[in-house]
Amino acid sequence: MAVTQMDPFAATWLQREDRTSKVRLTANPDYWDKDRGPRLREVVLRNDLTPEEALDLVCTTEGEVDVVTEVSPADAEKVENSEHAELVSTEAIFTVAGVINRDAEGLPLADRRARLALNLAVDRERLVRETMFGRATPLAGLTPPAAVPEEGRLKPHSHDPGRAAELWNEARSETGGGERPLRVAALGGLEDVARAVAADLEGALSVGVEVVVYRGEEELPVRRRLAEKKLAQGWDVLILGHGAQFAESVVAELHRAFAGATGEFRAGPAVPEFESLFAELAAKTAPPEQAEVSQRIDRLVRDESLALSLCAPRALYAVNKHVDFTPYRTSFEFAETSVDDGHWSRR
Amino acid sequence: METYRWKDEGRTLEVDVREGNRFPDGEPLTAHSVERAFDEVMLWASPHPPGTQFNFAPGTTLEVTGEHGVRFRFPEPDGQALGKLRAMHVMSTPFWEGPGFGYERQGSGEGHW
């Protein structure tokens, strides 16, 4: 199902997973770049297992599952201590952040000060430590550190609950609202993050905070309602994870999604300054100039608090000990992957 | 892709297709393979599963300049074009005549690229 808008034309696909139980990939032996591969004759993708079953198989057996993607930080230690698997990880172009509903009734979230208060209330270091088991990096705006050289990285908001309370109260007294509880919602297994954020907001802002978690089939209508932007949302902050498919298009995928006129996650009016910068980016073809404008866009998102910036989790894989797997920052690839003589397929 | 050149302040992108490559079915990779992929992707309003951010603007054209050269022309500068090209899968003729991106199974390429 696609949600479309006409001016400017944009579409967001909301898809249920409808996969065949197995997909067999056969290598192209004539691939031009011999340094990258192929080093495997074939790969079978198994869609007939739950994530729990797959993790159990890679950890406790051989010959069933060689690589499991999207391992939860909570399961990382289990992999590290397993008989047959090791943990492989990389910084990833993936962001966990909160959509701030700037149209929320009864709360001052259209006011920058209130949104900034949310960002200052969150203790990102603790969030990373306690909900990601240290396997993530605090975010400044929406650009994951993996997408920017070290010297070009923005500084995340400080954790300043006192200043957060001042700003929240200023915005509330001038624009009204703030008497009702704040609703923090989460998608995609991010309940622990939502509860940690809720505790920080409750503590800093002295507001009631309700946590709503949308699981499984409940996610699709929430995503649809947000993409359509016709009905009021049932939350004030929606925490979700989102990645970029390609390193060349981080802003077009992440920042546009959260804050752009065509953004599927934007909750509130389009932001003219954002659109102006986004148009400037489109006109740049030299990578250094693109990087400079991209950083200005990320700074705008941070400084205007157009999202609740949280963290960039590392991509975690459970990999059979006889498989040499090279993780990518963006997608799941097998290009450089090989197996050694101890692998079950060679014994 | 072997190399690329921007021209006309981001309105033109020339791409040299790597020579001597073949698809797994043996068909050679040429500029015409890229042309076919471009024609196929431009058939659809929203072909890419992530969304329309990978669409080329309406009015974008592709011209074959040689056996291994293509020239894209954009109605406005498109600095994101190289990223968009990553989402434009170049396939051999039997793929397009057969399964396509959802063609055989769904009767449509919308949302299946």
Side-chain angles (χ1 to χ4, degrees), chain A residues 2 9-13 15 18 20 27-28 30-32 245-249 252-253 256 264 281-287 290, chain B residues 4 6 9-10 18 21-24 45-55 77-80 83 86-87 105 110-111:
Chain A
F9 176 76
T12 300
W13 285 97
Q15 295 178 329
D18 176 21
T20 50
N28 176 2
D30 297 324
Y31 185 64
W32 67 273
Q245 307 261 323
F246 313 116
E248 294 90 341
S249 58
E253 293 193 73
R256 182 205 55 79
E264 57 268 37
L281 177 65
K284 302 290 186 195
T285 55
Q290 290 176 331
Chain B
Y4 65 89
W6 284 103
E9 297 180 327
R18 192 178 301 280
N21 287 297
R22 292 181 180 277
F23 292 98
S46 180
H48 307 292
T52 38
Q53 62 267 32
F54 294 119
N55 282 19
D78 189 355
Q80 301 291 305
R86 280 187 179 266
R105 195 174 66 160
E110 295 288 15

Side-chain angles (χ1 to χ4, degrees), chain A residues 57-205:
Chain A
L57 285 172
V58 75
C59 288
T60 61
T61 68
E62 286 191 293
E64 290 288 338
V65 173
D66 281 315
V67 181
V68 176
T69 63
E70 298 178 29
V71 173
S72 148
D75 289 328
E77 200 174 316
K78 172 184 174 179
V79 178
E80 286 174 331
N81 295 331
S82 74
E83 183 183 355
H84 294 293
E86 60 186 5
L87 190 74
V88 176
S89 77
T90 184
E91 280 195 320
I93 301 186
F94 191 86
T95 286
V96 171
V99 178
I100 299 178
N101 183 1
R102 290 176 286 127
D103 283 335
E105 293 245 348
L107 289 177
L109 296 175
D111 189 307
R112 172 185 173 271
R113 292 168 297 182
R115 299 193 303 273
L116 185 54
L118 302 186
N119 268 303
L120 293 174
V122 173
D123 184 345
R124 287 169 189 74
E125 296 289 347
R126 186 174 66 84
L127 186 84
V128 164
R129 199 169 55 245
E130 294 183 1
T131 70
M132 297 285 166
F133 298 83
R135 299 177 198 272
T137 309
L139 269 186
L142 289 168
T143 304
V148 189
E150 186 118 20
E151 64 276 10
R153 294 178 184 173
L154 299 180
K155 201 172 157 201
H157 290 286
S158 56
H159 176 223
D160 190 344
R163 181 67 182 142
E166 285 173 16
L167 287 167
W168 182 260
N169 289 330
E170 276 177 33
R172 207 176 60 162
S173 63
E174 285 181 31
T175 60
E179 306 304 320
R180 69 165 174 83
L182 212 142
R183 280 194 120 199
V184 175
L187 298 179
L190 293 168
E191 178 173 356
D192 291 348
V193 175
R195 295 202 181 280
V197 167
D200 281 347
L201 298 181
E202 204 161 36
L205 309 181

